[in-house]
Coordinates of all heavy atoms in Angstrom, one line a residue:
P1137 N 5.2 37.4 85.5 CA 4.9 38.8 85.8 C 3.5 39.0 86.3 O 2.7 38.2 86.0 CB 5.3 39.4 84.4 CG 4.9 38.4 83.4 CD 5.3 37.1 84.2
S1138 N 3.3 40.1 86.8 CA 1.8 40.5 87.3 C 1.1 41.2 86.2 O 0.1 41.5 86.2 CB 1.8 41.2 88.6 OG 2.4 42.4 88.5
F1139 N 1.9 41.6 85.1 CA 1.3 42.4 84.0 C 2.1 41.9 82.7 O 3.4 41.9 82.7 CB 1.5 43.9 84.2 CG 0.9 44.7 83.0 CD1 -0.4 45.0 82.9 CD2 1.8 45.2 82.2 CE1 -0.8 45.8 82.0 CE2 1.3 45.9 81.0 CZ 0.1 46.2 81.1
A1140 N 1.5 41.7 81.6 CA 2.0 41.4 80.4 C 1.3 42.1 79.3 O 0.0 42.4 79.4 CB 2.1 40.0 80.2
R1141 N 1.9 42.4 78.1 CA 1.3 43.0 77.0 C 1.5 42.2 75.7 O 2.7 41.6 75.6 CB 1.9 44.5 76.6 CG 1.2 45.2 75.6 CD 1.8 46.4 75.3 NE 3.0 46.3 74.6 CZ 3.8 47.1 74.1 NH1 3.6 48.5 74.4 NH2 4.8 46.9 73.4
I1142 N 0.6 41.9 74.9 CA 0.7 41.1 73.6 C 0.4 42.1 72.5 O -0.8 42.7 72.5 CB -0.3 39.9 73.7 CG1 0.1 39.0 74.9 CG2 0.0 39.1 72.5 CD1 -0.9 37.8 75.1
D1143 N 1.1 42.2 71.5 CA 0.9 42.9 70.3 C 0.3 42.0 69.3 O 0.8 41.1 68.9 CB 2.2 43.5 69.8 CG 2.9 44.4 70.6 OD1 2.2 45.3 71.3 OD2 4.1 44.5 70.7
G1144 N -1.0 42.4 69.0 CA -1.8 41.6 68.1 C -2.0 40.2 68.5 O -2.4 40.0 69.7
L1145 N -1.9 39.2 67.5 CA -2.3 37.9 67.8 C -0.9 37.0 68.1 O -0.8 36.0 67.7 CB -2.9 37.3 66.6 CG -4.2 38.1 66.1 CD1 -4.7 37.4 64.8 CD2 -5.3 38.1 67.1
R1146 N -0.3 37.6 69.1 CA 0.9 36.9 69.4 C 0.9 36.1 70.8 O -0.2 36.1 71.3 CB 2.1 37.9 69.5 CG 2.3 38.4 68.1 CD 3.6 39.4 68.1 NE 3.7 39.8 66.9 CZ 4.9 40.4 66.3 NH1 5.9 40.6 67.2 NH2 4.9 40.8 65.2
F1147 N 1.8 35.7 71.2 CA 2.0 34.9 72.5 C 2.8 35.4 73.5 O 3.7 36.2 73.3 CB 2.5 33.5 72.2 CG 1.9 32.6 71.2 CD1 2.0 32.7 69.9 CD2 0.9 31.7 71.6 CE1 1.3 32.0 69.0 CE2 0.1 31.0 70.9 CZ 0.3 31.1 69.5
T1148 N 2.6 35.1 74.8 CA 3.5 35.5 75.9 C 3.4 34.3 76.9 O 2.5 33.5 76.8 CB 3.2 36.9 76.7 OG1 4.3 37.1 77.4 CG2 1.9 36.6 77.4
K1149 N 4.4 34.1 77.5 CA 4.6 32.9 78.4 C 4.7 33.4 79.9 O 5.5 34.3 80.2 CB 5.9 32.1 78.2 CG 6.2 31.0 79.1 CD 5.6 29.7 78.5 CE 6.4 28.5 79.3 NZ 5.4 27.8 80.3
L1150 N 3.7 32.9 80.7 CA 3.7 33.2 82.0 C 4.3 32.1 82.9 O 4.2 30.9 82.5 CB 2.3 33.6 82.6 CG 1.6 34.7 81.9 CD1 0.1 34.8 82.3 CD2 2.4 36.0 82.0
T1151 N 4.9 32.4 84.0 CA 5.4 31.3 85.0 C 4.9 31.5 86.3 O 5.0 32.6 86.8 CB 6.9 31.4 84.9 OG1 7.5 31.2 83.6 CG2 7.6 30.2 85.8
A1152 N 4.4 30.6 86.9 CA 3.9 30.6 88.3 C 5.2 30.3 89.2 O 5.8 29.4 89.1 CB 2.8 29.6 88.5
V1153 N 5.2 31.2 90.3 CA 6.3 31.0 91.2 C 5.8 31.2 92.6 O 5.0 32.1 92.9 CB 7.5 32.0 91.1 CG1 8.5 31.9 92.1 CG2 8.1 32.1 89.6
L1154 N 5.9 30.0 93.3 CA 5.3 29.9 94.7 C 6.4 30.6 95.6 O 7.5 30.1 95.7 CB 5.1 28.5 95.2 CG 4.6 28.3 96.5 CD1 3.2 29.0 96.6 CD2 4.4 26.8 96.6
S1155 N 6.1 31.8 96.3 CA 7.0 32.4 97.3 C 7.4 31.5 98.3 O 6.6 30.8 98.9 CB 6.3 33.6 97.8 OG 6.0 34.5 96.8
G1156 N 8.7 31.5 98.6 CA 9.1 30.6 99.7 C 9.5 29.2 99.4 O 9.8 28.5 100.3
S1157 N 9.1 28.8 98.2 CA 9.4 27.4 97.8 C 10.8 27.2 97.4 O 11.3 27.6 96.6 CB 8.5 27.0 96.6 OG 8.7 25.8 96.2
A1158 N 11.5 26.1 98.2 CA 12.9 25.9 98.0 C 13.1 25.1 96.7 O 14.0 25.1 96.0 CB 13.4 25.2 99.1
T1159 N 12.1 24.3 96.4 CA 12.1 23.4 95.1 C 11.4 24.0 94.0 O 11.7 23.4 93.0 CB 11.5 22.0 95.4 OG1 10.2 22.3 95.8 CG2 12.3 21.4 96.6
G1160 N 10.7 25.2 94.1 CA 10.0 25.7 92.9 C 8.7 25.2 92.8 O 8.4 24.1 93.3
T1161 N 7.9 25.7 92.0 CA 6.5 25.3 91.7 C 6.6 24.3 90.6 O 7.1 24.7 89.6 CB 5.7 26.5 91.4 OG1 5.8 27.4 92.4 CG2 4.2 26.1 91.4
P1162 N 5.9 23.1 90.7 CA 6.0 22.2 89.5 C 5.0 22.7 88.5 O 3.8 22.7 88.6 CB 5.5 21.0 90.0 CG 4.8 21.2 91.3 CD 5.4 22.7 91.8
Q1163 N 5.4 23.4 87.4 CA 4.7 24.1 86.4 C 3.6 23.1 85.7 O 2.5 23.5 85.4 CB 5.5 24.6 85.3 CG 6.5 25.7 85.8 CD 5.8 26.9 86.5 OE1 4.9 27.6 85.7 NE2 6.1 27.3 87.6
E1164 N 3.9 21.8 85.6 CA 2.9 20.9 85.1 C 1.6 20.7 86.0 O 0.7 20.2 85.5 CB 3.5 19.5 84.7 CG 4.1 18.7 85.9 CD 5.5 19.1 86.4 OE1 6.0 20.1 85.9 OE2 5.9 18.4 87.4
L1165 N 1.8 21.0 87.2 CA 0.7 20.9 88.1 C -0.2 22.2 88.3 O -1.2 22.2 89.0 CB 1.1 20.5 89.5 CG 1.9 19.3 89.6 CD1 2.4 18.8 91.0 CD2 1.0 18.1 89.1
V1166 N 0.3 23.4 87.8 CA -0.4 24.6 87.8 C -1.6 24.6 86.8 O -1.6 24.2 85.6 CB 0.5 25.8 87.4 CG1 -0.1 27.0 87.4 CG2 1.8 25.8 88.5
T1167 N -2.7 25.1 87.4 CA -4.0 25.2 86.6 C -4.0 26.6 86.1 O -4.0 27.6 87.1 CB -5.2 24.8 87.3 OG1 -5.0 23.5 87.9 CG2 -6.4 24.9 86.5
W1168 N -4.2 26.9 84.8 CA -4.3 28.3 84.4 C -5.7 28.5 83.7 O -6.3 27.8 83.1 CB -3.4 28.5 83.1 CG -1.9 28.3 83.5 CD1 -1.2 27.1 83.6 CD2 -1.0 29.2 83.9 NE1 0.1 27.4 83.9 CE2 0.4 28.6 84.2 CE3 -1.1 30.6 84.2 CZ2 1.4 29.4 84.7 CZ3 0.0 31.3 84.7 CH2 1.3 30.6 84.9
V1169 N -6.2 29.8 83.9 CA -7.6 30.2 83.6 C -7.6 31.6 83.1 O -7.0 32.6 83.8 CB -8.5 30.0 84.7 CG1 -10.0 30.5 84.2 CG2 -8.7 28.6 85.3
S1170 N -8.2 31.9 82.1 CA -8.3 33.2 81.5 C -9.7 33.7 81.9 O -10.7 32.9 81.7 CB -8.2 33.3 80.0 OG -8.5 34.5 79.4
S1171 N -9.7 35.0 82.2 CA -11.1 35.6 82.6 C -12.0 35.9 81.4 O -13.2 35.9 81.5 CB -11.0 37.0 83.4 OG -10.3 37.9 82.6
D1172 N -11.4 35.8 80.2 CA -12.2 36.1 79.0 C -11.4 35.4 77.8 O -10.5 36.1 77.1 CB -12.4 37.6 78.7 CG -13.3 37.9 77.5 OD1 -13.6 37.0 76.8 OD2 -13.8 39.0 77.4
T1173 N -11.8 34.3 77.4 CA -11.2 33.5 76.3 C -11.4 34.1 75.0 O -10.8 33.7 74.0 CB -11.6 32.1 76.3 OG1 -13.0 32.0 76.1 CG2 -11.2 31.4 77.5
N1174 N -12.3 35.0 74.8 CA -12.5 35.9 73.6 C -11.4 36.7 73.3 O -10.9 37.2 72.2 CB -13.8 36.6 73.5 CG -15.1 35.7 73.6 OD1 -15.1 34.6 72.7 ND2 -16.0 36.1 74.3
V1175 N -10.7 37.2 74.4 CA -9.6 38.3 74.3 C -8.3 37.5 74.3 O -7.5 37.8 73.6 CB -9.7 39.2 75.6 CG1 -8.4 40.1 75.5 CG2 -10.9 40.0 75.4
A1176 N -8.0 36.5 75.2 CA -6.8 35.8 75.3 C -7.2 34.4 75.9 O -8.0 34.3 76.8 CB -5.8 36.4 76.1
T1177 N -6.5 33.4 75.4 CA -6.6 32.0 75.9 C -5.2 31.7 76.6 O -4.1 32.3 76.4 CB -6.8 31.0 74.8 OG1 -5.7 31.0 73.9 CG2 -8.2 31.1 74.2
V1178 N -5.3 30.7 77.6 CA -4.0 30.3 78.2 C -4.0 28.8 78.3 O -5.1 28.2 78.5 CB -4.0 30.9 79.7 CG1 -5.0 30.5 80.6 CG2 -2.5 30.6 80.3
A1179 N -2.9 28.3 77.8 CA -2.9 26.8 77.8 C -2.0 26.4 79.0 O -1.5 27.1 79.8 CB -2.0 26.4 76.5
S1180 N -2.0 25.0 79.3 CA -1.2 24.5 80.4 C 0.3 24.9 80.0 O 0.6 25.0 78.9 CB -1.2 22.9 80.4 OG -0.9 22.4 79.2
G1181 N 1.0 25.2 81.1 CA 2.3 25.8 80.9 C 2.3 27.2 81.0 O 3.5 27.9 80.8
G1182 N 1.2 27.9 81.0 CA 1.1 29.3 81.0 C 1.4 30.1 79.7 O 1.5 31.3 79.7
L1183 N 1.2 29.4 78.6 CA 1.3 30.0 77.3 C 0.0 30.8 76.9 O -1.0 30.2 76.8 CB 1.6 29.1 76.2 CG 1.9 29.7 74.9 CD1 3.2 30.4 74.9 CD2 2.0 28.5 73.8
V1184 N 0.1 32.1 76.8 CA -1.1 33.0 76.7 C -1.1 33.4 75.2 O 0.0 33.9 74.7 CB -1.1 34.3 77.6 CG1 -2.3 35.1 77.3 CG2 -1.1 33.7 78.9
K1185 N -2.2 33.3 74.5 CA -2.3 33.7 73.1 C -3.4 34.7 73.0 O -4.6 34.6 73.4 CB -2.7 32.5 72.2 CG -2.9 33.0 70.6 CD -3.4 31.9 69.9 CE -3.4 32.4 68.4 NZ -4.2 31.4 67.5
G1186 N -3.0 35.9 72.4 CA -4.0 37.0 72.2 C -5.0 36.7 71.0 O -4.5 36.0 70.1
R1187 N -6.2 37.0 71.2 CA -7.2 36.8 70.2 C -7.9 38.0 69.7 O -8.1 38.1 68.5 CB -8.3 35.8 70.8 CG -7.8 34.4 71.2 CD -8.8 33.5 71.5 NE -9.4 33.1 70.3 CZ -10.6 32.6 70.3 NH1 -11.2 32.1 71.5 NH2 -11.2 32.2 69.1
K1188 N -8.1 39.0 70.5 CA -8.6 40.2 70.1 C -8.2 41.3 71.1 O -7.8 41.0 72.3 CB -10.1 40.3 69.7 CG -11.0 40.1 71.1 CD -12.3 40.3 70.7 CE -13.3 40.4 72.0 NZ -14.6 40.7 71.7
A1189 N -8.3 42.6 70.7 CA -7.8 43.7 71.7 C -8.8 43.6 72.9 O -9.9 43.4 72.9 CB -7.9 45.0 70.9
G1190 N -8.1 43.9 74.1 CA -8.8 43.9 75.3 C -7.9 43.6 76.5 O -6.6 43.6 76.4
Q1191 N -8.5 43.5 77.6 CA -7.8 43.1 78.8 C -8.3 41.9 79.5 O -9.5 41.8 79.6 CB -7.7 44.3 79.8 CG -7.0 44.1 81.0 CD -6.9 45.4 81.8 OE1 -6.6 46.4 81.3 NE2 -7.3 45.3 83.2
V1192 N -7.5 40.9 80.0 CA -8.0 39.8 80.7 C -7.2 39.6 82.0 O -6.0 40.1 82.1 CB -7.8 38.5 80.0 CG1 -8.7 38.5 78.8 CG2 -6.4 38.2 79.5
Q1193 N -7.6 38.9 83.0 CA -6.9 38.4 84.2 C -6.6 36.9 84.1 O -7.6 36.2 83.7 CB -7.8 38.7 85.4 CG -7.0 38.3 86.6 CD -7.8 38.7 87.9 OE1 -8.9 39.0 87.9 NE2 -7.2 38.6 89.0
I1194 N -5.4 36.6 84.1 CA -5.0 35.2 84.1 C -4.7 34.7 85.5 O -4.1 35.3 86.3 CB -3.7 35.0 83.2 CG1 -3.9 35.5 81.8 CG2 -3.2 33.6 83.2 CD1 -5.0 34.9 81.0
T1195 N -5.3 33.6 85.8 CA -5.2 33.0 87.2 C -4.4 31.7 87.1 O -4.7 31.0 86.3 CB -6.6 32.7 87.9 OG1 -7.4 33.9 87.7 CG2 -6.5 32.3 89.2
A1196 N -3.5 31.7 87.9 CA -2.6 30.4 88.2 C -2.9 29.8 89.5 O -2.9 30.6 90.4 CB -1.1 30.7 88.0
S1197 N -3.3 28.7 89.6 CA -3.7 27.9 90.8 C -2.9 26.6 91.0 O -2.6 25.9 90.1 CB -5.1 27.5 90.9 OG -5.9 28.8 90.6
W1198 N -2.4 26.4 92.2 CA -1.7 25.2 92.5 C -2.0 24.9 94.1 O -1.6 25.7 94.8 CB -0.1 25.3 92.3 CG 0.5 24.0 92.6 CD1 0.3 22.6 92.1 CD2 1.6 23.9 93.6 NE1 1.2 21.9 92.7 CE2 2.0 22.5 93.5 CE3 2.3 24.7 94.4 CZ2 3.0 22.0 94.4 CZ3 3.3 24.2 95.1 CH2 3.6 23.0 95.0
E1199 N -2.5 23.8 94.4 CA -3.0 23.4 95.7 C -3.9 24.6 96.3 O -4.7 25.1 95.5 CB -1.8 23.1 96.5 CG -1.1 21.8 96.1 CD 0.1 21.4 96.9 OE1 0.5 22.2 97.8 OE2 0.5 20.3 96.9
S1200 N -3.5 25.1 97.4 CA -4.2 26.3 98.0 C -3.7 27.6 97.5 O -4.3 28.7 97.7 CB -4.3 26.2 99.4 OG -3.0 26.4 99.9
A1201 N -2.7 27.7 96.7 CA -2.1 28.9 96.3 C -2.6 29.4 95.0 O -3.1 28.6 94.1 CB -0.5 28.7 96.1
R1202 N -2.7 30.8 94.9 CA -3.4 31.3 93.6 C -2.7 32.6 93.4 O -2.2 33.5 94.3 CB -4.8 31.6 93.9 CG -5.5 32.1 92.7 CD -7.1 32.1 92.9 NE -7.5 30.6 92.8 CZ -8.6 30.2 93.3 NH1 -9.5 31.1 93.8 NH2 -8.9 29.0 93.2
G1203 N -2.4 32.9 92.0 CA -1.7 34.2 91.7 C -2.5 34.7 90.4 O -3.2 33.9 89.8
F1204 N -2.4 35.8 90.1 CA -3.0 36.6 89.1 C -2.0 37.6 88.4 O -1.2 38.1 88.8 CB -4.2 37.6 89.7 CG -5.1 36.9 90.7 CD1 -4.9 36.9 91.9 CD2 -6.2 36.1 90.1 CE1 -5.7 36.2 92.9 CE2 -7.1 35.6 90.9 CZ -6.8 35.5 92.3
A1205 N -2.4 37.7 87.0 CA -1.6 38.5 86.0 C -2.6 39.2 85.2 O -3.5 38.5 84.7 CB -0.5 37.8 85.3
T1206 N -2.4 40.4 85.0 CA -3.4 41.1 83.8 C -2.5 41.1 82.6 O -1.3 41.4 82.5 CB -3.5 42.7 84.4 OG1 -4.2 42.7 85.6 CG2 -4.2 43.4 83.4
V1207 N -3.2 40.7 81.7 CA -2.8 40.7 80.3 C -3.4 41.6 79.4 O -4.7 41.6 79.3 CB -2.7 39.3 79.7 CG1 -2.2 39.2 78.1 CG2 -1.9 38.4 80.4
V1208 N -2.9 42.4 78.7 CA -3.5 43.5 77.8 C -3.1 43.1 76.3 O -1.8 42.9 76.1 CB -3.0 45.0 78.1 CG1 -3.5 46.0 77.0 CG2 -3.4 45.4 79.4
V1209 N -4.1 42.8 75.6 CA -3.8 42.5 74.2 C -4.1 43.7 73.2 O -5.2 44.3 73.4 CB -4.9 41.4 73.7 CG1 -4.6 41.0 72.2 CG2 -4.6 40.1 74.6
L1210 N -3.2 44.2 72.6 CA -3.3 45.4 71.6 C -3.8 45.0 70.2 O -3.6 43.9 69.9 CB -2.0 46.0 71.5 CG -1.4 46.5 73.0 CD1 0.0 47.0 72.6 CD2 -2.2 47.4 73.6
D1211 N -4.4 46.0 69.5 CA -4.9 45.8 68.2 C -3.7 45.4 67.3 O -2.6 45.9 67.5 CB -5.4 46.9 67.6 CG -6.9 47.1 67.9 OD1 -7.6 46.2 68.2 OD2 -7.3 48.3 68.2
Q1212 N -3.9 44.3 66.4 CA -2.9 44.0 65.4 C -3.1 45.2 64.4 O -4.0 45.3 63.8 CB -3.2 42.6 64.9 CG -2.1 42.1 64.0 CD -2.2 40.8 63.5 OE1 -3.4 40.3 63.7 NE2 -1.3 40.2 62.9
V1213 N -1.8 45.7 64.1 CA -1.8 46.8 63.1 C -1.7 46.1 61.7 O -0.7 45.4 61.6 CB -0.7 47.7 63.4 CG1 -0.5 48.8 62.3 CG2 -0.8 48.4 64.7
A1214 N -2.4 46.5 60.8 CA -2.3 45.9 59.5 C -1.2 46.6 58.7 O -1.1 47.9 58.7 CB -3.7 46.1 58.7
K1215 N -0.2 46.0 58.2 CA 0.9 46.7 57.5 C 0.6 46.5 56.1 O 0.8 45.4 55.6 CB 2.1 46.1 58.1 CG 2.4 46.3 59.5 CD 3.6 45.7 60.0 CE 4.0 46.1 61.5 NZ 4.9 45.5 62.1
K1216 N 0.5 47.6 55.4 CA 0.3 47.6 54.0 C 1.7 48.1 53.3 O 2.2 49.2 53.9 CB -0.8 48.4 53.6 CG -2.2 47.8 54.1 CD -3.3 48.7 53.6 CE -4.6 48.1 54.3 NZ -5.8 49.0 53.9
P1217 N 2.0 47.6 52.2 CA 3.1 48.3 51.6 C 2.9 49.6 51.1 O 1.8 49.8 50.6 CB 3.5 47.4 50.4 CG 2.2 46.5 50.2 CD 1.6 46.6 51.5
I1218 N 3.9 50.5 51.2 CA 3.6 51.9 50.7 C 4.1 52.0 49.4 O 5.3 51.7 49.0 CB 4.3 53.0 51.7 CG1 3.8 52.8 53.2 CG2 4.3 54.3 51.2 CD1 4.7 53.5 54.2
S1219 N 3.2 52.6 48.4 CA 3.6 52.7 47.2 C 4.4 54.1 47.0 O 4.0 55.0 47.6 CB 2.2 52.8 46.2 OG 1.6 51.8 46.3
P1220 N 5.3 54.2 46.2 CA 6.2 55.4 46.0 C 5.2 56.4 45.2 O 4.4 56.0 44.4 CB 7.3 55.0 45.3 CG 7.1 53.6 44.6 CD 5.9 53.0 45.4
P1221 N 5.4 57.6 45.4 CA 4.7 58.5 44.6 C 4.9 58.4 43.0 O 6.2 58.1 42.8 CB 5.0 59.9 45.1 CG 6.4 59.7 45.8 CD 6.4 58.2 46.3
A1222 N 4.0 58.6 42.2 CA 4.3 58.6 40.8 C 5.2 59.8 40.3 O 5.1 60.9 40.9 CB 3.0 58.7 40.0
L1223 N 6.2 59.5 39.4 CA 7.2 60.5 39.0 C 6.6 61.2 37.9 O 5.8 60.7 37.1 CB 8.4 59.8 38.7 CG 9.2 59.1 39.7 CD1 10.4 58.4 39.1 CD2 9.6 60.1 40.8
P1224 N 6.7 62.6 37.8 CA 6.2 63.4 36.7 C 6.9 62.9 35.3 O 8.1 62.6 35.4 CB 6.5 64.8 37.0 CG 7.4 64.7 38.1 CD 7.4 63.4 38.7
R1225 N 6.1 62.9 34.3 CA 6.7 62.6 32.9 C 7.1 63.7 32.3 O 6.7 64.8 32.3 CB 5.7 61.8 32.1 CG 5.5 60.4 32.8 CD 4.6 59.5 31.9 NE 4.2 58.4 32.7 CZ 3.9 57.3 32.1 NH1 3.8 57.2 30.9 NH2 3.7 56.3 32.9

């Protein structure tokens, strides 16, 4: 995708697709780069991990081809158990 959203400290998987390629793009040959590794990192294979809230551009390169995707990392919401109200005695 050219846009992805990650909730909190989760992952998303990006895939590079070379337009017009009959055999597909060999994913193991694609180089992935994050514009800000403080916000999100990207591993070989296109696995993006959110680190903190913000927006990054992920670049996928193979030979002379290059593609970009914007990834937005949202704040992780702290979920606390809700205590029931005290009953009158």
Side-chain angles (χ1 to χ4, degrees):
S1138 59
F1139 179 83
R1141 183 183 81 175
I1142 302 174
D1143 295 324
L1145 304 175
R1146 298 194 180 189
F1147 297 87
T1148 193
K1149 174 96 164 106
L1150 300 177
T1151 302
V1153 178
L1154 182 60
S1155 296
S1157 173
T1159 59
T1161 305
Q1163 296 299 306
E1164 66 276 2
L1165 299 179
V1166 174
T1167 301
W1168 298 90
V1169 178
S1170 170
S1171 64
D1172 187 345
T1173 56
N1174 292 313
V1175 174
T1177 58
V1178 60
S1180 61
L1183 186 64
V1184 180
K1185 179 183 180 189
R1187 299 190 67 193
K1188 72 174 191 174
Q1191 179 174 310
V1192 296
Q1193 182 173 10
I1194 302 295
T1195 303
S1197 302
W1198 180 59
E1199 294 183 350
S1200 62
R1202 183 170 288 161
F1204 306 93
T1206 300
V1207 175
V1208 175
V1209 180
L1210 303 177
D1211 276 327
Q1212 185 174 15
V1213 177
K1215 296 181 179 174
K1216 297 179 182 178
I1218 299 172
S1219 301
L1223 298 174
R1225 295 182 183 208

